[in-house]
């Protein structure tokens, strides 16, 4: 069986016209789930990728899977809610690859619970990772992108950037907030060649969602199968989960888009759960 790296090399060789050849991309939360798949997809399209994650070992493992020589993939430890760690991680990325073309602000967590008893510490933790993280990584990325006069920033929103669900006050608040941030970045960044957009996925079976299924079953007093069928996928047109590959394709489309016509937008990828 081919190793992942051989698979990527084969794909790159078969795809000399990759859509991100030699673009430098930082993806936060890329040691797992959606971010990891975006890193693999972007690398197979010719990008040099920086895997930034709270979990240093997993970040370095993912980078080594993509390129064991370290020439085209770098794993950095970063808590996106920590100003100093973001500055250091961004510095390492720019030192390694000399520029930054795309930031995918993806790191995120979920904490569910009724608003009436939601702990303030948990509210602040969730908002810090999603919103402080998006702000701090954006600010660090913009400094470099403005020097280059080009760049693309992609925020990982959610259908919960558009819709609400019970038990998810902090998450829904944070994900709506990302749309506001993206619109401001689109307006301020335009003069410097920087675009900003949001991807809004439906439910994707990553560790983040696997954890929620039993939590919601307990909270609503229903079975896990009912959580999936009657809560998570109820509003989709076909009862299907969105996949990490679906989201990575949307990220590739936004990252590779050739002009500033596409900026300040949010793209919903959710099997029709949310329609605009
Ligand atoms: P995941 O749990 O599989 O991966 C999240 C990654 O983020 C992990 O590697 C984790 O170590 C990292 N991380 C957590 N806190 C961090 C921090 N403070 N600093 C840096 N890294 C941190 O989750 P996922 O499902 O791949 O989620 C990725 C993003 O997609 C999140 O923003 C999430 O809200 C969003 N999203 C997920 C779904 C879904 O159904 N899975 C749907 C819509 C949006």
């Amino acid at each position: 069986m081919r190793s992942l790296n051989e698979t990527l090399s084969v794909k790159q060789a078969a795809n000399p016209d990759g859509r991100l050849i030699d673009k430098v991309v930082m993806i936060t939360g890329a040691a797992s789930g959606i971010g990891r798949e975006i890193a693999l997809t972007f690398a197979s399209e010719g990008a040099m990728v920086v895997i930034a994650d709270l979990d240093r070992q997993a970040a370095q493992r993912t980078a080594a899977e993509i390129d064991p020589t370290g020439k085209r993939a770098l794993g950095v430890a970063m808590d996106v809610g920590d100003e100093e760690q973001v500055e250091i991680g961004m510095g390492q990325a720019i030192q390694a690859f000399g520029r930054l073309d795309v930031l995918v602000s993806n790191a995120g967590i979920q904490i569910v619970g009724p608003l009436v008893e939601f702990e303030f510490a948990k509210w602040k933790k969730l908002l810090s990772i999603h919103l402080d993280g998006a702000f701090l990584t954006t600010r660090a990325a913009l400094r470099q992108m403005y020097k280059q006069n080009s760049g693309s920033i992609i925020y990982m929103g959610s259908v919960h950037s558009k819709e609400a669900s019970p038990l998810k006050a902090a998450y829904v608040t944070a994900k709506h907030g990302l749309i506001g941030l993206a619109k401001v970045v689109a307006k301020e960044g335009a003069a410097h060649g920087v675009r900003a957009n949001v991807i809004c996925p439906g439910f994707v079976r990553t560790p983040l969602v696997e954890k929620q299924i039993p939590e919601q079953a307990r909270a609503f007093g229903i079975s896990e199968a009912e959580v999936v069928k009657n809560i998570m996928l109820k509003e989709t047109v076909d009862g299907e989960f969105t996949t990490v590959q679906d989201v990575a394709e949307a990220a590739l489309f936004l990252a590779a888009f050739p002009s500033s016509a596409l900026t300040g937008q949010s793209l919903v990828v959710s099997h029709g759960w949310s329609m605009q």
Side-chain angles (χ1 to χ4, degrees):
M1 204 171 101
R2 274 188 200 138
S3 73
L4 176 60
N5 189 251
E6 283 167 336
T7 312
L8 284 177
S9 308
V10 169
K11 268 183 152 181
Q12 280 166 4
N15 184 18
D17 301 322
R19 296 168 68 188
L20 296 175
I21 295 288
D22 292 341
K23 297 287 183 200
V24 178
V25 181
M26 173 181 280
I27 305 149
T28 67
S32 172
I34 290 171
R36 185 177 192 280
E37 185 65 26
I38 293 173
L40 298 178
T41 300
F42 282 17
S44 75
E45 293 284 334
M48 291 180 274
V49 291
V50 181
I51 316 289
D53 203 286
L54 193 60
D55 185 338
R56 175 198 298 269
Q57 283 185 339
Q60 291 176 341
R61 207 166 40 240
T62 303
E65 281 175 43
I66 292 171
D67 181 7
T69 72
K71 288 190 186 132
R72 303 188 65 83
L74 174 72
V76 299
M78 181 190 287
D79 177 348
V80 295
D82 183 303
E83 185 172 15
E84 193 183 352
Q85 288 189 33
V86 170
E87 293 296 319
I88 291 172
M90 186 61 77
Q92 288 170 336
I94 291 165
Q95 193 179 18
F97 296 125
R99 54 185 291 118
L100 182 73
D101 298 292
V102 182
L103 166 69
V104 184
S105 171
N106 166 77
I109 60 164
Q110 176 62 282
I111 305 174
V112 296
L115 190 49
V116 69
E117 60 192 42
F118 209 88
E119 283 171 39
F120 189 33
K122 289 184 177 172
W123 170 271
K124 284 196 282 196
K125 180 179 179 189
L126 190 145
L127 262 61
S128 168
I129 294 173
H130 289 266
L131 292 180
D132 298 354
F135 160 67
L136 291 170
T137 52
T138 296
R139 192 181 61 176
L142 287 180
R143 284 198 214 103
Q144 179 64 27
M145 289 173 172
Y146 283 9
K147 280 189 214 156
Q148 300 164 189
N149 214 25
S150 69
S152 171
I153 300 185
I154 299 168
Y155 298 98
M156 197 53 62
S158 162
V159 163
H160 286 113
S161 300
K162 311 272 181 181
E163 312 280 351
S165 294
L167 310 183
K168 296 192 174 172
Y171 190 80
V172 169
T173 302
K175 290 303 192 189
H176 274 66
L178 289 176
I179 291 191
L181 177 62
K183 288 179 179 175
V184 176
V185 175
K187 293 210 170 195
E188 290 190 14
H192 307 275
V194 175
R195 301 182 295 114
N197 293 288
V198 185
I199 301 174
C200 302
F203 281 102
V204 183
R205 279 201 103 134
T206 65
L208 180 139
V209 160
E210 295 297 347
K211 182 171 164 282
Q212 278 176 65
I213 297 172
E215 284 174 354
Q216 295 209 17
R218 273 195 301 278
F220 289 116
I222 57 177
S223 72
E224 294 188 14
E226 285 170 320
V227 170
V228 169
K229 188 163 183 280
N230 299 336
I231 297 180
M232 293 185 165
L233 304 179
K234 183 165 181 249
E235 303 293 337
T236 62
V237 294
D238 52 10
E240 297 281 341
F241 276 100
T242 301
T243 65
V244 289
Q245 290 83 7
D246 295 327
V247 183
E249 280 301 318
L252 176 61
F253 169 72
L254 290 174
F257 198 80
S259 81
S260 54
L262 189 50
T263 193
Q265 304 305 307
S266 46
L267 179 60
V268 182
V269 186
S270 71
H271 285 262
W273 167 12
S274 176
M275 296 189 190
Q276 296 159 312

